[in-house]
Amino acid sequence: MNGLRCITCQREFSLNEPIWRCSCGGLLNIKFVAEFPIDIIQRRKPTLWRYREAIPIESDQHIISFDEGFTPLITIDFNGRLVLIKQDHLFATGSYKDRGASVLISKVKELGVNHVVEDSSGNAGCAIAAYCAKADITCDIFVPATTSTAKLAQIEMYGAYLHKIPGSREDTAAAVLQAAETNYYASHSWNPFFFQGTKTIAYEICEQLAWQAPDTIILPVGNGTLLLGVDIGFRDLFQAGVIETLPKLIAIQAEYCHPLALAFAQDQSQISSIIKKETLAEGIAIAKPIRGIEIMEAVRRSEGYFITVSETEIKTALYEMGRKGYYLEPTAAATIAGVKQYLCHQETEETIVSVFTGHGLKATQKIMDLL
Ligand SMILES: *Cc1c(COP(=O)(O)O)cnc(C)c1O
Ligand SMILES: [Zn+2]
């Protein structure tokens, strides 16, 4: 019943196969029946591992954790409209990527793999490097040479081997794919175990709303690691009978790199290549997201849609959040710019949740340049 399944050829594998894609080259997803023993969950420590029966790691002794998760869900007033914000910039490495890294690196430990490779525009690399340090697993992290210096320093401090690749984010992805021919790829976009960690944000939101689903969730989308996790998480809760409705998913992309918003608007099932421009939202500047079709399906199924935000809107949101006492990295401000647009379209009262995805300390130089 439980297992890995290829989305291209439907072939199934055991959860204990040390593979990150199908032999046909297709993406793998995880079939796993999540359970929610609510009385027991509520007595556990406030970390993402309190949803133990919903996370496909077999043995507790393989869990690699900094007691992460259960981040505060706070209310922010946007000109009289209230929005609930999950403070996922408060994780140990400064972004929500710790959710995915904790579960994925626990699985790597369980598989007995002692060396992984990963590529990232920064934050996923930081998270994988930190959890590998804790797990005593060697890792090689590939990043574009233009990545924010704070993120580069962080990756090196965790003891990872850092490879700075000249050129675009896509050049970095090509470099790591070569390394992944002979190494386990702890990829936040390919590896399905990463999404089994990001899904826990849905469980936490649900518990923090007294086991109810919100009406709407507004999320950033580059490779969709948060959005697809949220989609899996709420469907787990729905299938287990914990909630009776599913939230609408609103996906935010930067105008300077919005391949999925474009394909969605044209109702394409194919994603055309786009010319991307350099955006403040470096963390979601993904020109060719490998799970793009899945992302569009999740948004469509939820009756949601895409919103794009301009550089000016990102900058304005960044400043506004700073003036309220929240120091964010510019990528995180893109989502908040999307929240503001959504509130303009939407008149009805509803429960809206969004997220602070990354801490401002990640992007000191970029923010200095803006000031
Ligand atoms: C990773 C990340 C995102 C979302 O990116 P995806 O590519 O969709 O997973 C958003 N904000 C920050 C700060 C991030 O690090
Ligand atoms: Zn296959």
Side-chain angles (χ1 to χ4, degrees), residues 38 42 51 73 84 201-217 233-234 237-238 241-247 351-353:
I38 288 177
Q42 286 173 335
Y51 310 102
L73 182 69
L84 294 159
I201 192 174
Y203 305 162
E204 293 174 18
I205 291 168
C206 180
E207 184 174 353
Q208 287 166 319
L209 295 176
W211 302 102
Q212 302 268 315
D215 299 304
T216 301
I217 306 200
F234 278 105
L237 290 160
F238 186 82
V242 178
I243 54 172
E244 282 159 15
T245 57
L246 289 167
T351 311
I352 304 170
V353 174

Side-chain angles (χ1 to χ4, degrees), residues 35-54:
E35 289 172 13
F36 301 91
I38 288 177
D39 290 345
I40 300 172
I41 290 170
Q42 286 173 335
R43 271 179 278 151
R44 291 188 180 138
K45 269 200 290 199
T47 83
L48 64 83
W49 288 97
R50 72 206 254 111
Y51 310 102
R52 183 68 187 91
E53 294 79 5

